Amino acid sequence: QVQLVESGGGLVQAGGSLRLSCAASGRTFSTYAMGWFRQAPGKEREFVAAINWSGGTIYYLGSLKGRFTISRDNDKNTVYLQMNRLKPEDTAVYYCAAGMGANYYTSRNYNYWGQGTQVTVSS
């Protein structure tokens, strides 16, 4: 079992930055791939970024590459999402997830989910 708790969301003006954190419980964190997803009101949940167990493989939603950076610290059982040059369309609830598969882009790859953290970007 892995429990995930996101933090770091909030209200920010367009062009600003936020860093989301996702703290995981359990001693097996380093064996999981970690993903970030987001869901805006009225829209389906979409993939944002993912990182494999070692941090050596990283994927991004194409349109976010260059603005968002995913990283992990296995010693701290934490995965991060640095979000820069935020836009109003980035407004969503952001979720982190843990999984053992290799289909990083799909939510079905992930077995454990956090409760989400709200990110609101004002124009």
Side-chain angles (χ1 to χ4, degrees), residues 33-116:
M34 299 297 298
W36 285 98
F37 288 75
R38 67 185 183 183
Q39 188 166 19
K43 295 187 177 181
E44 293 187 354
R45 188 172 299 188
E46 71 171 349
F47 171 81
V48 172
I51 188 168
N52 78 330
W53 67 274
S54 68
T57 301
I58 290 175
Y59 299 94
Y60 294 102
L61 179 66
S63 60
L64 300 178
K65 196 172 182 179
R67 293 197 298 122
F68 287 19
T69 304
I70 189 172
S71 62
R72 67 188 297 161
D73 185 336
N74 286 342
D75 291 334
K76 295 182 178 179
N77 281 12
T78 302
V79 62
Y80 304 97
L81 185 68
Q82 178 68 44
M83 306 185 295
N84 297 328
R85 302 192 304 280
L86 283 161
K87 304 176 181 180
E89 51 264 42
D90 294 320
T91 295
V93 178
Y94 284 71
Y95 299 90
C96 71
M100 299 293 284
N103 296 320
Y104 297 103
Y105 292 95
T106 176
S107 60
R108 288 174 292 180
N109 189 64
Y110 302 90
N111 306 101
Y112 304 102
W113 292 81
Q115 83 289 348

